[in-house]
Amino acid sequence: MNNIKHSESFIFGEVPANAGELMKLPEATLNSAFKTAALTVLVLCAYERNGESIFEMLNFLKGPETVSEYEKQFIKERLRGKEYKARSFFEGATPENGYQPTKPYKITVSDNPYSYPDENWATLYVKSSGADTARGIKLRRKPSTGQWFLNEIQCLSDIRLPASEDPWA
């Protein structure tokens, strides 16, 4: 992703445990696509603690839509046994340290010249320390409120294994 136009960094003290905690975060206004993308990754990190709790939080991020059964299965398949994927987007997380980010958690979200294909749609990117290219999060703006909502999680492809799990490390 050499064509970065704009980036925004976000810092979080903790991973929320439920939608109530998520909604208390200043970024929960969802008034920018960057905020919603950052919160999406933060919520995915909660899978490690309680896989089912993330769907309530993702429903909040999806706005007028809800997480479909297909999406739930997709997330479970991508994260089960590989919970480190979500943490890999935070600063300080590396394959060598098992993708344990430094606290507070810092994530940078970027766009590029192709991020806004149509009015009210955006695909923003987050960089995993276990991948060579940034991964996308597709968002949709609700014109009546100006809020950006999660549309599609595209950032859960496989990444390099943590060094402790990699027989070739």
Side-chain angles (χ1 to χ4, degrees):
M1 193 178 75
N2 298 333
N3 299 327
I4 293 175
K5 284 182 17 181
H6 177 74
S7 294
E8 292 184 23
S9 294
F10 299 89
I11 296 175
F12 302 103
E14 295 295 329
V15 174
N18 56 53
E21 289 182 15
L22 176 67
M23 289 187 263
K24 290 179 183 173
L25 295 173
E27 295 81 6
T29 58
L30 309 181
N31 62 352
S32 88
F34 290 87
K35 290 178 182 178
T36 305
L39 288 176
T40 298
V41 173
L42 186 67
V43 166
L44 291 172
C45 287
Y47 183 84
E48 194 165 8
R49 232 184 3 232
N50 178 358
E52 293 302 314
S53 71
I54 72 167
F55 300 119
E56 177 189 358
M57 292 187 274
L58 289 174
N59 280 338
F60 169 72
L61 295 177
K62 287 184 73 75
E65 296 180 354
T66 58
V67 180
S68 71
E69 288 304 315
Y70 170 80
E71 290 170 309
K72 288 179 183 179
Q73 191 60 36
F74 174 81
I75 291 166
K76 289 175 184 179
E77 287 175 3
R78 295 298 174 118
L79 290 179
R80 188 179 302 124
K82 297 180 180 183
E83 292 84 358
Y84 57 83
K85 280 186 199 179
R87 295 190 313 262
S88 76
F89 296 105
F90 288 100
E91 196 172 277
T94 66
E96 293 74 28
N97 70 10
Y99 295 107
Q100 293 300 323
T102 53
K103 278 184 135 185
Y105 303 116
K106 181 179 180 183
I107 187 169
T108 300
V109 180
S110 303
D111 67 4
N112 67 33
Y114 311 102
S115 285
Y116 308 97
D118 296 303
E119 186 179 6
N120 299 318
W121 288 91
T123 300
L124 299 184
Y125 297 89
V126 288
K127 181 76 175 96
S128 165
S129 58
D132 296 329
T133 58
R135 308 293 173 86
I137 298 173
K138 190 173 180 181
L139 306 136
R140 183 176 183 180
R141 189 172 82 86
K142 185 176 178 182
S144 62
T145 64
Q147 292 175 299
W148 286 88
F149 294 104
L150 172 63
N151 181 261
E152 185 180 350
I153 296 171
Q154 303 170 334
C155 60
L156 293 179
S157 300
D158 280 342
I159 60 174
R160 286 184 280 284
L161 290 171
S164 63
E165 297 178 26
D166 185 354
W168 293 99

